[in-house]
Structures are given as C-alpha cells and as structure tokens.
C-alpha cells in the first residue's frame, strides 16, 4: 500500500493494492466533522491494519484526514479501556482496578437508586455532548433511561447552541447549500469557518470554483487558506462579527444593493433589520473590529456584485458573547443581498436538522418538569448554587475535563467526595482520572452505528469491522444493562440490536430517496436525500421551515434586540484575546491522545516582541482563572492582539499539565446559552 500527502499535511490519499490475507470492510467515520466519510477498513486476522477513504460516499472521494487514517492507534493504544473498573486511589489519581461487568453494573444501579431515594431524580445529571456519535449511541437508549429516571436535563450547549438557535430563528430547518455546489459559485464568503482543518472535503470545491474564476473572502482573525486561494481577508478582532455583518448590510442598503423585491416577497422583519443596521456604519464596525472601513465596503460590494454567491458560515463566530447575534446577522446576508434561488448561492451552516429525526418517537417523551442545567457551567453546577445538589454524574460521549470551560472549577467539582461519577469511555481520558466507575465503550469500528451528518446529505450504516477489544460494549447495550438492573424491562430496554436499528430508522423523516429498513441499509450502506435535482437549492427546491416559508429577519426568539452588540469590557491586565480553534490533529479531544502532543501557543511576532519573547521560547499563558505553560510559536497569520491554542488538547500536552479551557470563562451567550471559548483574555510572559 502506498500513502502519500495530497495537500497541507492533513490528508492522505491511498492507492489500492490487494493484500493476500487481508479483507476490506466498509465503515463510516462518525467523528464530529461535517464530511462524514465513508471508509474502507483493512482487517487482517481480526485486527485493523489501516483505514482509508471509500468512494461509496461521493464526497469522500478517495481521501480522508491523517488522524482518522491512524485510528487503529486509538483502538489498540495504551490508553484503551478494556474492562470495567472501580476507583481505588483518591479522585484525580486515575488509580483503578478491574471488576466484572456484573459488579460494575450492580454498583452503578445501586448507587443511582440510593441517590433517587434520598435526593430525587434531579440529583442525577447525564453529561454527554455526542458530536462524534451516530444515532445508536447517543440520544437513544441513554435518553430513554434518563427520562425514566426523572434525571436533570442537560442543555447541550458546548457547541452549535447559537448556530442552531440563529439558523432556526431565521430559516427554521432549511437545508444548506451542498458542498459540491460550491464549484458553481462566483463568490465564496468563509465566515468563521476553517475548511482546511475542519471540513477538508470542501476544499477541492473551493479550488474548483477558484479555477473557474470565483473570488473567495474570509472573515477570520487568522489568515486561513493562504493568499493563493483567498482574495480578501478581513482579520477582525474576535467577537465583533455582528457589527461587521450589520455594517455590510448597511453599506448594501445605502448603495441600493439590497434585493427589496425578494425581501418583500420572502421575509418578515427586513425593515427593522435595515433600520437597526444603520446604527453600524462601516466606520463604527471597523473601529470595533480593528480593521479598515474600506475593507467592509469592498466585501459588501464584491458579494453584491457576484452571482451566484454563497456564505459558508462556520462556528468560530459563535464562540463569544455576541455569538447568537453574529450568526443571525451573517445568515441574514443572502436574504438582504438576494443570493438565493441558484445552485452555488445561499448559505451553508449545519445540515443535521434536515434529517428531521422525531425525537419523541425515538426516545420517548421527555419529562419537561425536570430542571435543565447548562453543560458549559459544569464546574459551577457541581461546586454549589444548584438545589438539589448533583450527587450522581453519568458521563459518556464527552470529555469534560478537557473540553468544558473553566477547567479548574470543573476539576474541583469532579473531586467532590460526595459525588458519584460514572464514565462510559473508550480511552483513559483526563475525565477518567476522576471517575468512580469506568465502563469500557466500543469505538465505531466495533459497534453498529447509524450516521446522520451535519454537512452531507446522506444516511449511512456501519457495522462492526472487528470484534470489541477486551470487554467493551456499545452505549446502547450498557444503558440497556443499567435500565434492566434498575427494573426497567420494557420499551427500548427490551429490544434486540436489530430491533433498535429498526426503531431508529423509523424516526428519520427527512426526504430520503427510498423507504428505510435495516435490510436495505445493510445492503446499500448509504441512502441519499431525495431533493429534486439531487442537491438542495435554497428558494428553488427547499424553503424555510417556518409556518409561512418566510425568513424571519427580526424574530422574537432572538430577544427584544436581536442584533445587539455587547461591548468587550476589556481587561488591562490580560490584553490578548485567546482563541482555540479546531486543529487538524484531533476531533475535539478525540485522537489528541496520540496526535496533539507538545502544543504551542501561536503568537504574532509583534505581540511577542512587545514581551521580549523569542520563537520557541517557553511561556506562561495566564489570567485569573488559570495558567498554561507551553512553548510559543510565531504565527504571522494571526492578527496582532490575538493568540491561539488548539482546541482538544489533553493535560499531558503542556508543560504544567493544564490546558486551554483552564483559561476560558464559563460565561454563556444570552438566550442560546452557548460557550464563549474565544472570550478568554490572557497575558503572556516568559517561563522563568
Ligand atoms: N480537524 C478537525 N476538524 C473538526 C474539529 C476538530 O476539532 N478538528 N471539530 C469539529 C467540530 S466539533 C466543529 S464545531 C467544527 C468547527 O469548525 P469551524 O467552523 O472551522 O470552527 P473553529 O475551528 O472553531 O473556528 C473556525 C475559524 O473561526 C476563527 N475565529 C475564531 N474566533 C472568531 C470570531 O470571533 N469571528 C470570526 N469570524 N472567526 C473567528 C478561527 O480562527 C478559525 O479559523 O469542526 C469540526 N471539524
Ligand atoms: N477551548 C475550547 N474548547 C472547546 C472548543 C473550542 O473551540 N475551544 N470547542 C468545543 C466543541 S466545538 C465541541 S463539539 C466540544 C466537544 O467536546 P466533547 O463532547 O468532550 O468531545 P470529545 O473531546 O471528542 O470527547 C468525546 C468523548 O466521547 C468518547 N466517545 C466517542 N464515542 C463514544 C461511544 O460510542 N461511547 C462512549 N461511551 N464514549 C464515546 C470519546 O472517546 C471521547 O473521549 O468541545 C468544545 N471545547
Ligand atoms: S474526521 Fe472528517 S475528514 Fe477525517 S475521516 Fe472523519 S469525516 Fe473524514
Ligand atoms: Mo463542535
């Protein structure tokens, strides 16, 4: 087999040569990545030898990212959890002994029953995000279990809270422009999205559009993609997107470049939006964003002048106090400029809601009387302030000790002696060090999974490529065991794996090309959406999922003042904005255990010079919440005043065993409750 680099070091393409004793099995990458690649897994003697892209999903083409091509390192790595384990040392020590499944399930069921009896269901908190899970391992048997317990509910806000709320307020669940159609665009606006790291299968379409003469602009504090692809970079200061987008709208309006015919016919609230945007002349927005007004005007004019023009809205712009308003303002652009109705126009954010999964049918009615706790404030919620106090924490599909804001407070909470923590995990994460019981979970190569996508319009089935390592079991099976041990013998707890798959398929209502059944999925592996012309074209074949199919440009679900800009209060002692975007080395903290080690702080040479720092020098990155020690790396792609650490790092990746979320406040966006990772403000000094 020959592997070679295709571009930028983060993607591998393979040439297929048959090997005598190995077999190729089909799989699907379930990672929290919009591309949702179809995979070929080479298995020899029951062990995974290699993973590569399969052409079954046309978008995958013949390449995948380098980290997933090395997934067998996770499957067979030293961090793998192979057996149920019980804690023996102090919390945080990671000292555990192996116990039997029977003992582990018995203990968890017993402790949860005690908590239910003494403190009530709300004293139990399920903690899961599930970005890297398909339909069979997340929000399914687990959700059914916690609903039956009457547990506290979790607001799943670590990511996409503002993106979802913003998109739904304006467009309901309208499907976004397909990546393939970007090749047709004449102007592509990448706003807070970094496809070279987090959406690599979009890149060939950007290149193709560029080859055909399209212009590409990026709004991002970093110069992403490189000047050969991007014609205009607006290196705005983090958190100022709403001001910049409103200024674009205002400039379009004052130049007579808004599409009033479209707005009148297909939207409500457009007059209020235009009126509000007039508060943000380009000069004001430019001052806030620390760029030139002429850059905003040029962006507005290039966008208005191109047809078709598309906005790839990412998630980088939602991770600050203005996240919800920013998403709404950016998504308003194609409406204001009249960019709908053609392939290669409109916008793309997440396509996940297009699958229209009926949650009630899937996991049963939620107990709407129980409280909802925001996952971004786990540390705060564990260390006081909520009544009843959380006594039982069941963590799965999430690594909160690495990925949740205000890390030091999260750790203080996880250290509470009166807290019973259960963790279902594949590997010994930073969170595992604090668990009372760790239950071994299977990976996507070891269990059956039904995969939706938030970027591609297909539903895909994957079946085990290899037998589970050790005694690992799937989440569905573990929650069935737990349910039965707690006396729940009906509903989803009584179904066989085949029946579970059938049940999950029934809940998918999205416009699929054929009726879904387990047999069909096993045979075909992939079922595409049934859009007229195969791919969605906004305002031609797909329309807003709002009652009157109109865009709601000034909707009450965004609050009384939907596009309000909240000032950055400033912090003289910690003057640098710290961003922590996706890196090509992991998917959040998954695979970071082998791929994201020895992290470096990205810093612009000007900011370094002001502090007398040399490239490669060891530094302290600190604020009042915490401190991270690592090496500095000069990065001229960053705008001065902004430094960067990668999202997803484990504690072992730094010199002092701390990580980026130790510097991130647990403040949340108004209304949507989203995480504000990029509101972290820090100071840097040499490590003496
Ligand atoms: N390789 C890889 N791929 C991933 C992931 C991963 O961890 N690694 N994570 C997956 C997940 S969970 C998600 S949600 C997506 C996220 O994918 P993206 O949408 O690409 O999100 P981010 O990487 O957070 O940020 C994107 C860009 O926003 C910029 N940015 C930061 N702050 C601001 C701001 O205030 N305004 C603007 N305009 N830009 C800003 C960052 O510099 C970055 O280049 O990627 C998915 N894909
Ligand atoms: N500083 C900073 N922090 C961030 C972000 C940022 O931009 N900056 N981005 C945020 C974003 S966008 C996201 S989406 C979150 C993601 O944060 P998390 O939800 O914590 O995602 P991961 O770090 O991938 O951890 C998922 C865990 O679930 C486990 N897992 C996967 N599949 C299964 C399964 O089937 N069963 C069980 N039991 N376990 C499984 C994996 O082994 C992994 O340890 O991180 C957020 N954290
Ligand atoms: S992480 Fe994304 S690019 Fe990599 S294999 Fe999975 S779906 Fe494909
Ligand atoms: Mo995410």
């Amino acid at each position: 087999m020959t592997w070679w680099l295709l571009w930028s070091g983060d993607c591998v393409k393979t040439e297929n040569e048959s090997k005598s004793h190995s077999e190729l099995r089909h799989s699907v990458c379930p990672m929290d990545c919009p591309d949702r690649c179809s995979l070929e897994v080479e298995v020899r003697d029951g062990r995974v030898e290699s993973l590569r892209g399969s052409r079954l999903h046309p978008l995958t083409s013949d390449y995948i990212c380098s980290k997933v091509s090395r997934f067998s390192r996770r499957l067979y790595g030293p961090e793998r959890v192979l057996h149920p384990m019980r804690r023996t040392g102090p919390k945080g020590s990671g000292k555990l002994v192996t116990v039997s499944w029977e003992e582990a399930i018995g203990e968890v069921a017993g402790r949860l029953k005690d908590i239910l009896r003494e403190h009530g269901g709300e004293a139990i908190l399920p903690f899961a995000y599930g970005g890297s899970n398909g339909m069979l391992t997340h929000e399914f048997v687990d959700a059914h279990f916690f609903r039956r317990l009457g547990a506290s509910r979790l607001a799943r806000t670590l990511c996409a809270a503002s993106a979802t709320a913003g998109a739904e307020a304006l467009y309901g669940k309208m499907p976004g422009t397909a990546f393939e159609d970007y090749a047709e665009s004449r102007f592509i606006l990448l706003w807070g999205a970094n496809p070279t790291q987090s959406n690599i299968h979009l890149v060939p379409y950007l290149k193709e559009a560029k080859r055909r003469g399209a212009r590409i602009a990026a709004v991002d504090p970093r110069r992403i993609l490189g000047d050969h692809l991007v014609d205009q970079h607006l290196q705005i200061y983090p958190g100022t997107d709403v001001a910049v987008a409103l200024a674009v709208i205002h400039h379009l309006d004052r130049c007579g470049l808004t599409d009033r015919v479209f707005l009148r016919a297909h939207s409500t609230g457009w007059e209020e939006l235009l009126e509000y945007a007039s508060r943000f002349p380009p000069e004001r927005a430019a001052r806030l964003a620390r760029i030139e007004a002429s850059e905003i005007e040029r962006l507005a004019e290039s966008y208005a002048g191109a047809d078709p023009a598309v906005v790839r809205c990412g998630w980088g712009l939602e991770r600050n106090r203005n996240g919800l308003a920013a998403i709404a303002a950016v998504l308003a652009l194609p409406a204001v400029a009249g960019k709908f109705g053609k392939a290669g126009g409109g916008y793309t954010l997440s396509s996940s809601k297009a699958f229209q999964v009926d949650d009630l049918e899937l996991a049963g009615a939620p107990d709407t009387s129980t409280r909802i706790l925001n996952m971004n404030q786990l540390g705060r919620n564990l260390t006081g302030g909520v009544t009843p106090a959380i006594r039982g924490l069941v963590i799965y599909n999430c690594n909160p000790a690495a990925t949740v804001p205000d890390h030091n407070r999260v750790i203080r909470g996880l250290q509470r002696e009166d807290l019973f923590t259960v963790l279902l995990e594949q590997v010994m994460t930073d969170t595992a060090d604090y668990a009372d019981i760790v239950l071994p979970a299977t990976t996507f190569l070891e269990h059956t999974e039904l995969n939706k996508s938030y970027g591609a319009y297909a539903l895909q089935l994957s079946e085990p490529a290899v037998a589970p390592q050790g005694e690992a079991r799937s989440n569905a099976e573990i929650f069935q065991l737990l349910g039965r041990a707690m006396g729940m013998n009906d509903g989803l707890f009584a179904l066989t794996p085949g029946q579970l798959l059938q049940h999950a398929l029934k809940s998918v209502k999205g416009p699929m090309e054929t009726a879904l059944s387990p047999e069909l999925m096993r045979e075909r592996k992939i079922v595409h959406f049934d859009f007229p012309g195969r791919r969605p074209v906004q305002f031609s074949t797909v329309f807003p999922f709002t009652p009157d199919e109109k865009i709601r440009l000034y909707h009450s679900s965004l609050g009384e003042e939907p596009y309000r800009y909240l000032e950055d209060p400033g912090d003289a002692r910690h003057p640098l904005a710290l961003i922590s975007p996706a890196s090509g080395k992991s998917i959040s903290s998954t695979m970071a255990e082998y791929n994201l080690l020895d992290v470096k702080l990205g810093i612009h040479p000007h900011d370094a010079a002001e502090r007398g720092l040399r490239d490669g020098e060891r530094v302290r990155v600190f604020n009042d919440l915490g401190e991270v020690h690592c090496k500095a790396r000069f990065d001229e792609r960053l705008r001065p005043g902004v430094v960067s650490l990668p999202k997803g790092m484990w504690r072992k990746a730094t010199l002092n065993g701390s990580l980026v979320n130790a510097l991130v406040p647990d403040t949340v966006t108004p209304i949507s409750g989203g995480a504000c990772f990029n509101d972290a403000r820090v100071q840097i000094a040499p490590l003496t």
Side-chain angles (χ1 to χ4, degrees):
M1 176 151 334
T2 322
W3 300 79
W4 72 86
L5 292 182
L6 186 65
W7 80 71
S8 84
D10 187 41
C11 107
V12 278
K13 181 170 171 170
T14 54
E15 192 179 75
N16 205 348
E17 286 168 21
S18 63
K19 272 198 175 175
S20 49
H21 307 297
S22 64
E23 264 182 79
L24 288 183
R25 306 246 164 96
H26 171 263
S27 191
V28 179
C29 176
M31 295 299 146
D32 198 339
C33 167
D35 300 15
R36 191 62 75 240
C37 293
S38 56
L39 305 174
E40 269 178 5
V41 185
E42 190 186 12
V43 176
R44 181 196 293 269
D45 301 329
R47 278 179 74 87
V48 172
E49 291 257 298
S50 65
L51 289 96
R52 57 179 176 248
S54 117
R55 290 182 185 273
L56 195 65
H57 197 312
L59 193 64
T60 306
S61 182
D62 57 356
Y63 66 94
I64 58 170
C65 62
S66 58
K67 56 194 173 296
V68 169
S69 76
R70 295 178 58 215
F71 195 82
S72 56
R73 168 62 182 78
R74 168 164 270 232
L75 198 58
Y76 305 122
E79 301 86 4
R80 191 69 203 271
V81 181
L82 296 169
H83 306 281
M85 290 187 293
R86 175 195 290 130
R87 179 172 66 87
T88 55
K91 292 202 174 194
S93 65
K95 285 204 180 116
L96 302 140
V97 289
T98 299
V99 294
S100 69
W101 264 109
E102 207 181 354
E103 222 179 309
I105 292 289
E107 178 160 347
V108 175
R111 293 289 298 264
L112 294 183
K113 275 190 208 158
D114 290 347
I115 295 169
L116 276 177
R117 197 179 48 246
E118 288 165 30
H119 307 282
E122 286 190 330
I124 296 170
L125 179 69
F127 200 88
Y129 181 71
S132 286
N133 292 83
M135 292 181 66
L136 302 184
T137 57
H138 184 72
E139 280 286 276
F140 188 30
V141 186
D142 50 323
H144 195 52
F145 175 74
F146 292 111
R147 287 172 192 188
R148 295 274 281 263
L149 285 187
S152 286
R153 288 174 291 159
L154 186 73
R156 298 223 159 92
T157 45
L158 255 188
C159 174
S162 294
T164 306
E168 289 205 21
L170 269 69
Y171 295 98
K173 294 168 183 167
M174 181 164 74
T177 303
F179 300 142
E180 293 91 327
D181 283 333
Y182 277 60
E184 312 295 323
S185 287
R186 302 294 301 161
F187 185 88
I188 298 170
L189 177 49
L190 302 169
W191 200 308
N194 183 12
T196 52
Q197 306 296 320
S198 54
N199 181 194
I200 60 173
H201 290 82
L202 178 60
V203 177
Y205 299 102
L206 300 179
K207 288 184 171 168
E208 176 58 16
K210 183 85 187 165
R211 199 188 59 78
R212 297 189 199 169
R215 291 172 58 76
I216 301 181
V219 183
D220 195 305
R222 295 186 299 172
R223 278 204 322 275
I224 51 162
L225 281 165
D227 297 338
H228 60 294
L229 270 182
V230 176
D231 301 281
Q232 194 190 358
H233 281 106
L234 272 80
Q235 287 192 265
I236 66 169
Y237 192 73
T240 59
D241 302 82
V242 59
V244 175
L246 289 174
V248 169
I249 290 170
H250 176 59
H251 188 65
L252 293 176
D253 193 24
R254 72 184 180 187
C255 296
L257 295 171
T258 58
D259 186 342
R260 280 177 148 75
V261 175
F262 177 86
L263 287 170
R264 251 181 236 116
H266 297 290
S267 76
T268 57
W270 62 273
E271 283 155 310
E272 289 96 322
L273 168 61
L274 294 184
E275 164 68 29
Y276 195 84
S278 68
R279 298 186 196 184
F280 288 86
E283 295 71 23
R284 179 179 174 207
R287 220 170 24 250
L288 296 169
R290 308 185 191 180
I291 57 172
E292 300 293 324
S294 58
E295 296 179 69
I296 299 176
E297 291 165 2
R298 193 175 137 219
L299 177 75
E301 289 162 29
S302 320
Y303 178 57
D307 185 34
V310 67
V311 179
R312 188 348 170 201
C313 179
W315 289 264
L317 68 161
E318 73 159 15
R319 311 197 199 286
N320 63 77
R321 66 177 72 81
N322 289 310
L324 177 59
I327 293 279
V330 169
L331 293 187
L333 293 172
V336 172
K339 297 298 176 190
F340 289 118
K342 276 192 186 165
Y347 74 87
T348 312
L349 182 51
S350 164
S351 64
S352 64
K353 298 284 183 204
F355 288 79
Q356 297 184 51
V357 174
D358 185 335
D359 175 60
L360 275 184
E361 189 172 328
L362 186 64
D367 180 352
T368 48
S369 67
T370 51
R371 69 178 170 190
I372 301 182
L373 298 174
N374 189 323
M375 73 186 302
N376 293 318
Q377 296 178 326
L378 176 64
R380 190 182 291 251
N381 289 335
L382 286 177
T383 52
V386 301
T387 315
I390 300 160
R391 307 276 173 171
L393 182 64
V394 185
I395 307 173
Y396 58 102
N397 305 343
C398 198
N399 183 11
T403 54
V404 168
D406 200 356
H407 168 77
N408 289 327
R409 196 159 179 189
V410 169
I411 295 300
R412 284 201 295 283
L414 292 175
Q415 277 171 330
R416 258 179 47 201
E417 280 305 328
D418 62 341
L419 176 73
F420 177 64
T421 302
V422 186
L423 174 69
L424 285 64
E425 248 306 348
Q426 299 167 345
V427 292
M428 281 297 292
T429 56
D430 289 332
T431 306
D433 290 347
Y434 297 87
D436 293 284
I437 297 281
V438 179
L439 301 173
T442 42
T443 67
F444 71 98
L445 295 172
E446 304 159 303
H447 58 228
T448 303
E449 187 61 285
L450 188 58
N451 298 282
K452 295 186 294 168
S453 168
Y454 67 100
Y457 292 105
L459 184 71
Q460 301 186 71
L461 178 72
S462 64
E463 293 185 283
V466 289
Q469 283 291 294
E471 296 182 87
R473 295 181 176 193
S474 74
N475 288 356
E477 202 183 337
I478 299 174
F479 280 104
Q480 281 188 326
L481 286 173
L482 269 177
R484 287 189 215 124
M486 295 185 72
M488 308 173 196
N489 293 306
D490 55 342
L492 297 183
F493 304 106
L495 299 188
T496 62
Q499 290 168 328
L500 285 177
L501 174 61
Q502 182 150 27
H503 186 83
L505 282 169
K506 266 201 336 221
S507 72
V508 179
K509 309 291 179 199
M512 311 309 294
E513 59 183 343
T514 172
L516 302 171
S517 72
E519 298 71 37
L520 177 107
M521 290 307 299
R522 286 200 190 99
E523 189 194 316
R524 295 203 10 198
K525 317 284 190 224
I526 183 164
V527 171
H528 295 273
F529 272 60
D530 183 26
F531 295 119
R534 189 113 178 165
R535 295 196 287 269
V537 179
Q538 295 170 325
F539 282 91
S540 166
T541 60
V542 296
F543 295 86
F545 278 28
T546 52
D548 54 3
E549 295 198 338
K550 286 190 175 173
I551 309 168
R552 302 177 296 208
L553 289 170
Y554 214 82
H555 193 245
S556 58
S557 70
L558 296 169
E560 267 176 33
E561 205 180 322
Y563 299 96
R564 180 160 174 222
Y565 172 75
L566 298 173
E567 292 281 345
D568 184 339
D571 179 348
R573 290 187 302 124
H574 308 111
L576 297 166
L578 170 68
I579 58 171
S580 40
S583 92
K585 300 205 174 278
S586 65
I587 293 286
S588 299
S589 73
T590 303
M591 299 171 285
E593 74 272 18
Y594 59 83
N595 222 24
L596 183 55
L597 301 166
D598 187 21
V599 304
K600 308 221 170 34
L601 173 88
I603 184 167
H604 192 279
H606 288 172
D607 293 322
E610 274 179 12
R611 291 162 180 80
L613 299 172
R614 293 182 314 276
D615 195 13
E617 186 167 353
R618 286 145 50 112
V619 294
R620 296 166 52 216
V621 189
F622 61 95
N623 59 24
D624 290 337
L625 294 171
E627 175 154 335
V628 173
H629 299 173
C630 63
K631 286 184 184 153
R633 176 163 54 208
F634 286 8
D635 187 351
E636 299 209 13
R637 295 169 314 157
L638 280 164
R639 59 154 300 135
V642 178
V643 292
S644 173
L645 278 169
K647 147 193 176 187
M649 60 169 78
W650 287 34
R651 294 195 296 189
K652 66 182 175 186
T654 63
L655 300 171
N656 67 338
S658 189
L659 40 71
V660 57
N661 278 316
L663 302 163
V664 169
D666 73 350
T667 46
V668 296
T669 51
I671 298 172
S672 50
C676 295
F677 299 108
N678 298 338
D679 276 344
R681 297 294 179 263
V682 297
Q683 182 55 291
I684 321 282
L687 184 62
T688 45

